[in-house]
Amino acid sequence: SGLRQVGKTTLIHLIIAKLLRDKRVVPENILYFSCECLKEEKFSDLIDYYSQFRKDDKNRKYLFLDEICHIKNWSDEFLTLANKGLLKDHSIVVSGSHAGEIKESVERLPGRRGKGDSLDKVLAPLKFCEFLEFAHPIVFSQIKNRLFELNLIKTKDKQAMFFSLFE
């Protein structure tokens, strides 16, 4: 979860690309769906259909449900499917701009959320240099090297250069 327009959807797309490229996950084992325009009654059909469709494949499946907060009681659907054993070998990523709603919903899934201390993530806005590092690592490296050459890495040096521009 995270604020609006901080890159949650972009991050999901990057994760999917990495699964396909680096982990060699077959595309049929990945479902991405934006829930913004999905009606609540169709949500259960979507999840149930996908779980049934891929249940004979023993490989891990990945569900990415973007803006899940548009679906009321979405965690109840997962609870039902988990209790039927249909979410075994699934990794599920949900995103939404309402962190409180997501936290409250996942608390209704005790014992069905995998293992680990940090299952929940909140995505804060990236600084421009962080975005550049992720999206364009070569350009980021070139800029970083140039900043080192100009002695503009330290905050004190950046401030001095900035204030000198106004003199």
Side-chain angles (χ1 to χ4, degrees), residues 25-167:
V25 174
V26 295
E28 293 82 12
N29 286 342
I30 298 173
L31 172 68
Y32 166 84
F33 201 86
S34 174
C35 298
E36 288 180 289
C37 298
L38 187 64
K39 297 204 182 318
E40 189 174 338
E41 60 274 6
K42 298 296 181 188
F43 177 71
S44 62
D45 293 343
L46 171 74
I47 302 303
D48 191 43
Y49 173 78
Y50 181 76
S51 297
Q52 292 289 343
F53 173 68
R54 301 305 298 160
K55 76 177 178 180
D56 294 331
D57 185 337
K58 300 300 180 209
N59 295 309
R60 179 151 297 280
K61 274 105 20 225
Y62 300 87
L63 300 176
F64 295 89
L65 300 166
D66 202 6
E67 290 300 337
I68 194 75
C69 296
H70 289 270
I71 307 296
K72 290 181 184 175
N73 303 319
W74 60 269
S75 63
D76 294 344
E77 288 298 325
F78 285 115
L79 185 61
T80 301
L81 294 170
N83 289 341
K84 290 180 184 177
L86 293 175
L87 297 180
K88 188 175 190 286
D89 299 321
H90 281 67
S91 291
I92 301 170
V93 175
V94 297
S95 80
S97 300
H98 306 288
E101 284 181 34
I102 291 177
K103 184 176 183 343
E104 181 181 309
S105 294
V106 297
E107 286 174 353
R108 288 183 250 157
L109 300 170
R112 295 167 187 89
R113 296 194 52 230
K115 295 174 178 58
D117 291 335
S118 58
L119 294 172
D120 303 325
K121 309 284 188 238
V122 176
L123 183 62
L126 293 177
K127 297 177 187 173
F128 178 72
C129 65
E130 293 168 331
F131 163 77
L132 199 58
E133 184 176 6
F134 289 121
H136 304 286
I138 294 171
V139 172
F140 173 77
S141 179
Q142 292 169 340
I143 291 172
K144 186 176 174 184
N145 290 339
R146 187 67 178 132
L147 290 173
F148 270 113
E149 290 170 12
L150 296 171
N151 291 325
L152 293 176
I153 293 298
K154 294 180 183 168
T155 302
K156 186 176 86 173
D157 295 334
K158 283 190 274 190
Q159 287 175 338
M161 177 65 80
F162 180 76
F163 289 124
S164 73
L165 292 173
F166 290 99
E167 291 178 359

